[in-house]
Amino acid sequence: MAVKFPEGFLWGGATAANQLEGAYQEGGKGLNLADVLPGGKENRLKLLASTGFDFEIDKSKYTYPNHEGIDFYHRYKEDIALFAEMGFKTFRLSIAWSRIFPNGDELEPNEEGLAFYDRVFDELAKYNIEPLVTIAHYETPLHLIKEYGGWRNRKLVEFFERYVTVLFNRYKDKVKYWLTFNEINGATHMPILGLGFSPESEETRLQDSFQGLHHQFVASAKAVQLGHEIIPGSQIGCMLIYAPVYSFDSNPENVLYAQEEARIFNNFCGDIQVRGEYPSFSERYFRENNINIEMENGDLQLIKGGTVDFISFSYYMSRTDKKNKTPEEIGQGNLIGGVKNPFLDASDWGWEIDPVGLRIALNELYGRYQVPLFVVENGLGAYDKVEEDGSINDDYRIEYLREHIRAMGEAVDDGVELMGYTSWGCIDLVSASSGEMSKRYGFIYVDKQDDGTGSFERSRKKSFYWYKNVIATNGEEL
Ligand code: BGP
């Protein structure tokens, strides 16, 4: 039976500035985190998991694919026309903070940066595509990282407030949907990305990450309050990376362990951003992990008064886990840990493919919070082959998306309130965790290769036509 989606469902695609814009030193833009992250799976993944990174660029050793991205900065018109051709109702993009405040701590914004996003929003408006804007997506200005130590430093709350105030005032007639921090709960795993610091050691990782998170909760709550004030009717969401945690077996010890892991990974941030309070389980967790959070008077009231309107999240995989892992089992799981699930296949990058997990995720989130949900990232990173006639037959991607969309439809039928779906990397772009171009997610192929060669030319994959029909039939024809 065909699944059904609500009227006005927001179908579209998702991206982030640092992964597609390029033009890293144009338009007055300052350097940001992504500009110092090297390309290549080995280099980047290792760095993201390491400690003590110095945030320097070393072109004698590495390539920096984010510097060019896919040149969206110059080609946005062509790209948006292609999104429109697919029938997108919404397009998720982020604003690069360092285009607006090149160092992050200036008092006045950079007009050229603001004007660029005006042009992008105007182009989207031409086709009635609703922008969905992430305010912070792994692109903290480099100056704030080097001079202030990233989000560990409370000063960033003030700089962020200035930044969002400028955004809301400038784009109040153009943007209704906003997300504060991308995958905020990924912070403890990879603090470099979300919090803009490289842990000094494994011992300080947790303490510093939770302190940084606290600053982001305060900053996010302020953003929600400001957004509602400056843009009446705006909808401001949090953004989580959500991976249901399965117990490896029915051993109650493992079930309990899976539950504990899920609480701290999946629920901690959502509880604060949606319910406006640190959850009751955090006290014990902080005590047992020697975490002490410095708060200022008024922080908790602010958090309470700045809860989000909806929850958006990325879904790529579930996680299967057990309490005592053998040395062989460690590292056999997903990017986010755990052990191998014997029932699931994995992508070429080892991410386990689990469409049912998306239905579970939607039901878990809706059951816990009863606020509207938005799937703002989901997709298959895969190697694509361009045939001699130029076609790209990405049936594996269609299959992946079909099953995940079907699972979403089932969740809607389960009673979940779902606002929309933006598949990740609707146009090929630089991978965040591996810095590769060859890990492709798009409906639109971009001729840009890992070694930096390529014409940047765009072409439609088979999935382009498939997704166009999905949107045209509001998900009835998968
Ligand atoms: C999420 C990020 C994105 C994105 C996606 C896919 O974690 O929010 O920025 O890139 O994952 O991951 P990757 O690019 O590593 O395949």
Side-chain angles (χ1 to χ4, degrees):
M1 230 185 51
V3 285
K4 279 204 181 316
F5 290 89
E7 272 307 294
F9 191 76
L10 291 166
W11 297 99
T15 59
N18 71 88
Q19 292 171 258
L20 91 168
E21 282 179 5
Y24 81 118
Q25 285 180 312
E26 280 179 60
K29 175 181 163 295
L31 292 180
N32 65 27
L33 168 74
D35 295 322
V36 302
L37 295 180
K41 208 176 346 201
E42 275 72 41
N43 302 327
R44 190 173 293 194
L45 265 177
K46 199 164 23 149
L47 174 86
L48 296 178
S50 70
T51 53
F53 175 53
D54 60 6
F55 298 98
E56 294 297 335
I57 293 178
D58 183 352
K59 288 196 176 164
S60 68
K61 268 168 89 184
Y62 303 119
T63 58
Y64 293 90
N66 298 66
H67 290 185
E68 287 186 317
I70 55 158
D71 198 33
F72 178 82
Y73 189 79
H74 298 110
R75 295 166 200 252
Y76 65 92
K77 287 193 178 171
E78 181 188 349
D79 294 342
I80 291 171
L82 286 165
F83 301 152
E85 191 183 324
M86 272 187 282
F88 276 22
K89 313 286 181 213
T90 187
F91 173 54
R92 176 176 175 229
L93 71 164
S94 73
I95 290 182
W97 188 348
S98 70
R99 280 201 190 282
I100 311 302
F101 287 97
N103 283 326
D105 60 357
E106 297 91 339
L107 294 176
E108 294 305 322
N110 167 36
E111 175 53 34
E112 251 188 292
L114 288 166
F116 167 65
Y117 294 105
D118 265 325
R119 294 196 295 277
V120 171
F121 296 142
D122 292 346
E123 198 63 23
L124 289 168
K126 260 180 34 191
Y127 302 100
N128 288 320
I129 299 175
E130 189 84 54
L132 168 62
V133 174
T134 319
I135 300 169
H137 193 133
Y138 299 163
E139 43 214 359
T140 308
L142 194 60
H143 178 75
L144 299 186
I145 292 177
K146 287 188 154 182
E147 296 304 314
Y148 295 88
W151 279 94
R152 283 173 298 185
N153 191 328
R154 173 118 197 162
K155 277 289 220 185
L156 266 75
V157 175
E158 178 190 325
F159 303 142
F160 187 81
E161 188 179 348
R162 197 175 301 144
Y163 165 53
V164 297
T165 307
V166 165
L167 298 188
F168 291 149
N169 280 312
R170 177 76 173 221
Y171 305 123
K172 58 174 181 277
D173 299 324
K174 300 183 180 179
V175 181
K176 179 178 169 199
Y177 296 102
W178 301 85
L179 309 177
T180 52
F181 293 95
N182 182 62
E183 294 187 334
I184 186 165
N185 56 320
T188 53
H189 276 249
M190 292 182 179
I192 292 188
L193 289 179
L195 296 168
F197 77 88
S198 177
E200 270 128 38
S201 68
E202 281 311 321
E203 286 71 59
T204 58
R205 173 192 288 270
L206 273 189
Q207 166 64 33
D208 286 349
S209 300
F210 279 97
Q211 185 62 57
L213 274 176
H214 178 73
H215 295 147
Q216 291 194 335
F217 297 141
V218 173
S220 170
K222 279 199 178 170
V224 171
Q225 290 185 349
L226 282 164
H228 287 160
E229 231 168 84
I230 300 170
I231 318 177
S234 58
Q235 295 269 305
I236 305 175
C238 60
M239 198 306 194
L240 309 172
I241 171 172
Y242 200 91
V245 186
Y246 305 151
S247 172
F248 180 72
D249 56 23
S250 56
N251 178 346
E253 289 294 342
N254 288 335
V255 175
L256 180 68
Y257 179 74
Q259 195 183 65
E260 284 170 347
E261 289 293 301
R263 271 205 306 255
I264 200 67
F265 186 74
N266 286 328
N267 302 143
F268 174 76
C269 293
D271 284 2
I272 297 171
Q273 294 189 287
V274 181
R275 295 170 166 168
E277 279 171 22
Y278 271 76
S280 51
F281 62 80
S282 51
E283 213 173 291
R284 177 171 189 174
Y285 181 81
F286 288 165
R287 189 177 68 236
E288 292 182 349
N289 290 283
N290 294 321
I291 295 163
N292 277 303
I293 301 195
E294 256 177 60
M295 298 193 190
E296 285 187 4
N297 278 341
D299 280 3
L300 293 177
Q301 287 93 305
L302 193 77
I303 286 173
K304 187 83 194 162
T307 54
V308 293
D309 302 308
F310 66 95
I311 297 173
S312 77
F313 67 101
S314 65
Y315 176 78
Y316 293 94
M317 61 194 110
S318 53
R319 163 178 163 194
T320 302
D321 221 333
K322 52 154 76 161
K323 192 166 181 191
N324 299 308
K325 292 180 270 290
T326 63
E328 299 79 63
E329 285 170 329
I330 293 174
Q332 294 293 308
N334 280 312
L335 186 75
I336 46 171
V339 300
K340 195 173 156 25
N341 183 319
F343 299 98
L344 300 176
D345 290 331
S347 78
D348 288 337
W349 277 261
W351 295 18
E352 279 169 342
I353 299 172
D354 180 11
V356 175
L358 178 53
R359 182 172 173 189
I360 294 170
L362 285 159
N363 275 289
E364 284 181 354
L365 278 165
Y366 197 67
R368 192 172 180 99
Y369 302 112
Q370 284 95 38
V371 298
L373 305 179
F374 203 143
V375 178
V376 296
E377 281 189 33
N378 169 242
L380 179 69
Y383 296 107
D384 287 333
K385 178 159 176 271
V386 185
E387 304 295 341
E388 251 160 50
D389 64 357
S391 64
I392 297 149
N393 300 307
D394 54 344
D395 293 294
Y396 37 90
R397 182 168 295 110
I398 294 173
E399 175 67 15
Y400 177 102
L401 294 170
R402 176 187 290 130
E403 292 313 314
H404 283 77
I405 293 174
R406 207 193 302 278
M408 264 182 350
E410 295 290 351
V412 169
D413 203 15
D414 293 334
V416 168
E417 205 180 331
L418 189 59
M419 298 165 69
Y421 176 78
T422 55
S423 72
W424 175 252
C426 45
I427 180 165
D428 292 345
L429 38 64
V430 181
S431 148
S433 65
S434 78
E436 294 166 293
M437 267 311 299
S438 51
K439 189 179 186 189
R440 296 174 183 275
Y441 286 87
F443 304 112
I444 300 163
Y445 184 86
V446 178
D447 177 21
K448 171 83 195 300
Q449 313 306 326
D450 285 338
D451 62 4
T453 59
S455 64
F456 285 115
E457 212 177 294
R458 278 58 170 152
S459 51
R460 297 164 185 80
K461 301 181 195 177
K462 188 171 175 187
S463 57
F464 181 99
Y465 303 101
W466 173 82
Y467 195 47
K468 182 177 176 180
N469 188 53
V470 170
I471 298 178
T473 61
N474 200 26
E476 288 211 20
E477 280 175 30
L478 293 173

